[in-house]
Amino acid sequence: MSYYLVRGGQALRGEVPISGAKNSVLPILAATLLNGGRSLLHNCPDLRDVRSAIQILQHLGCKVSREGDTILVDSSVVDRWDVPHELMREMRSSVIFLGPILARCGRARLSLPGGCEIGQRPIDLHLSSLRKLGVSIREQGGDILCEARDLRGGDIILSFPSVGATENTILTATACPGVTRLINAAREPEIADLQAFLRKTGVLVQGGGESVITVSGESPRNDVEHTILPDRIETATYLCAAAACGGEVTVTGAEPEHVGTVLQCLTEAGCRVRCAGRTITLQAPRALGGMSPVRTMPYPGFPTDAQAPLMAAACTGQGTSLFIETIFENRFRHAAELARMGADIRVNGRTALVTGRPLHGARVRSTDLRGGAALVVAGLAAEGESIVEGITHIDRGYERLAEKLTALGADIRRVEA
């Protein structure tokens, strides 16, 4: 079982490059099924989830090759319309293949997705939207069987701006005659990136970053070349690590406007933040102070994925901060592991009150992707040695984490046991 061995107490200094966004590359890889040709994608991170998505594409019949951070997908031939259980279990976002398979093949068979145990991610919003587009859906033996018998565009209103439901609805609507209007759509930057890719293939889609998105179906398809946007959660994680450990760190190749709420919290805690173009420089204070209540919300609110790394940083300071989780009910599972390192966290349902104080090293276990990153952040700031287990979760979303942190002066190494 692999783990990270972290020796804390080192201030972080230097520059760290930001990789392509996990939450952008996955739906775009799924969307390569639609154009029936070649899709050349740049700035693709080498992540466990990305490798799983490539396996799904290959299972469906696509030819996929990779060189550095560039992935070439040839979807000229798609001769399957199912995703087997073992591949679905690899990542929670595997359900994003439902829409593209339906649009390309007219039918799809998937099991429920796997991934991190951070709470329920019901796909009822996905399925109800697809039904309104004319998709017939039934369950059989734990699988979801979908058939596009009578596709048609129309108005779809989401009861919650779900990212996954927004993406699946857009991708299915590309095959629907007429115009589909998606109301209360998710506004995350990754949605806009998906739409940018689709427009290059010839899809008529508008509204990326807005709450209403329109898709004109049955558009022509073209070969496409696209560059994945930077990962805003990776950006937030390295900034939180710098804030927790002290020193001065510059992240490069980032999009400052995508992490505005995170920068606001770090500034309130006493950090000095400077943005110039696609770089963000954070200079940490001697000790972090408290922050105004951090409430996770759909974009442009504070991202739920950044909550755990910021909480870890808050544990190391001198002030008190309140975290309110509104997206996932089990998103505080890392709090118990942080407590092993001496953190003062009082959890009550979906709220967590954090009072900063010095941390000490401990043996802890990651139970989800972002919680695992939080344990690494805490370990870097703690006195003594920490062992972070369960790092296969971290591998799903962070490219070369130990290598990048080591370049900043951190004492961290991966141990293959």
Side-chain angles (χ1 to χ4, degrees):
M1 184 68 68
S2 303
Y3 62 87
Y4 283 130
L5 178 63
V6 185
R7 295 184 176 90
Q10 301 293 323
L12 303 184
R13 299 186 183 280
E15 294 186 356
V16 58
I18 298 302
S19 300
K22 175 184 89 79
N23 292 335
S24 184
V25 69
L26 297 180
I28 288 176
L29 281 171
T32 62
L33 291 169
L34 299 176
N35 69 334
R38 293 162 56 91
S39 300
L40 190 63
L41 306 178
H42 303 294
N43 200 31
C44 298
D46 185 13
L47 304 173
R48 183 179 167 193
D49 273 10
V50 172
R51 293 192 288 272
S52 296
I54 290 173
Q55 285 183 291
I56 292 174
L57 288 171
Q58 292 171 330
H59 169 82
L60 295 170
C62 299
K63 296 179 181 179
V64 186
S65 61
R66 178 168 195 146
E67 184 174 346
D69 70 353
T70 296
I71 296 175
L72 174 62
V73 180
D74 185 343
S75 61
S76 302
V77 176
V78 173
D79 52 15
R80 300 194 63 137
W81 47 275
D82 68 302
V83 180
H85 181 68
E86 59 271 18
L87 290 179
M88 288 294 295
R89 284 181 58 86
E90 286 294 314
M91 61 177 185
R92 295 196 70 111
S93 53
S94 53
V95 72
I96 194 58
F97 279 88
L98 177 57
I101 295 174
L102 271 172
R104 179 69 185 271
C105 303
R107 56 183 177 171
R109 180 174 189 145
L110 288 77
S111 61
L112 293 176
C116 295
E117 298 178 1
I118 57 174
Q120 295 183 6
R121 293 192 186 187
I123 63 171
D124 55 334
L125 285 179
H126 302 239
L127 301 183
S128 64
S129 295
L130 298 190
R131 284 191 176 99
K132 292 174 183 176
L133 293 176
V135 178
S136 171
I137 302 172
R138 60 189 176 93
E139 292 187 27
Q140 184 181 75
D143 289 348
I144 302 170
L145 297 177
C146 302
E147 292 187 64
R149 295 177 178 174
D150 185 25
L151 289 181
R152 57 193 178 278
D155 284 358
I156 308 293
I157 302 175
L158 295 180
S159 59
F160 178 83
S162 160
V163 172
T166 297
E167 292 168 341
N168 254 329
T169 305
I170 292 171
L171 294 169
T172 306
T174 62
C176 295
V179 175
T180 298
R181 192 167 63 130
L182 183 58
I183 301 167
N184 197 29
R187 300 168 58 190
E188 274 71 5
E190 295 81 11
I191 300 291
D193 202 28
L194 173 62
Q195 292 189 41
F197 169 82
L198 290 173
R199 281 194 292 270
K200 291 176 182 178
T201 69
V203 174
L204 300 177
V205 55
Q206 296 178 335
E210 302 175 5
S211 59
V212 178
I213 295 172
T214 59
V215 184
S216 298
E218 298 186 313
S219 307
R221 301 292 188 263
N222 310 308
D223 289 352
V224 63
E225 184 171 359
H226 184 74
T227 299
I228 305 298
L229 59 72
D231 195 311
R232 59 194 172 102
I233 307 304
E234 185 192 29
T235 300
T237 301
Y238 286 116
L239 292 174
C240 288
C245 298
E248 184 173 332
V249 168
T250 297
V251 294
T252 62
E255 287 288 353
E257 65 178 293
H258 293 170
V259 291
T261 53
V262 178
L263 298 182
Q264 179 181 347
C265 291
L266 292 170
T267 300
E268 284 186 7
C271 299
R272 294 182 60 187
V273 177
R274 303 188 305 275
C275 300
R278 299 188 71 187
T279 68
I280 306 170
T281 299
L282 182 142
Q283 183 178 3
R286 289 189 175 182
L288 292 175
M291 294 169 278
S292 300
V294 179
R295 182 186 298 271
T296 64
M297 296 288 287
Y299 191 86
F302 189 92
T304 181
D305 283 353
Q307 173 258 112
L310 183 64
M311 181 182 290
C315 289
T316 69
Q318 294 180 344
T320 298
S321 302
L322 179 66
F323 289 79
I324 305 166
E325 175 59 49
T326 71
I327 309 298
F328 296 115
E329 69 273 17
N330 292 336
R331 203 83 204 230
F332 289 148
R333 296 184 68 186
H334 53 279
E337 298 299 304
L338 289 171
R340 294 177 182 270
M341 307 174 79
D344 184 352
I345 307 174
R346 301 178 186 181
V347 176
N348 182 10
R350 294 199 178 201
T351 65
L353 184 66
V354 178
T355 302
R357 64 185 186 187
L359 303 182
H360 56 76
R363 193 181 194 99
V364 292
R365 174 170 289 276
S366 166
T367 59
D368 64 87
L369 167 56
R370 306 306 174 183
L375 298 180
V376 172
V377 170
L380 294 171
E383 180 181 349
E385 183 176 282
S386 296
I387 292 176
V388 180
E389 300 176 328
I391 63 175
T392 53
H393 290 292
I394 301 175
D395 292 340
R396 291 184 45 241
Y398 292 92
E399 182 180 42
R400 299 182 289 111
L401 178 66
E403 179 182 331
K404 289 184 177 183
L405 287 170
T406 299
L408 296 176
D411 189 345
I412 176 175
R413 64 186 177 93
R414 185 186 184 106
V415 179
E416 304 292 349

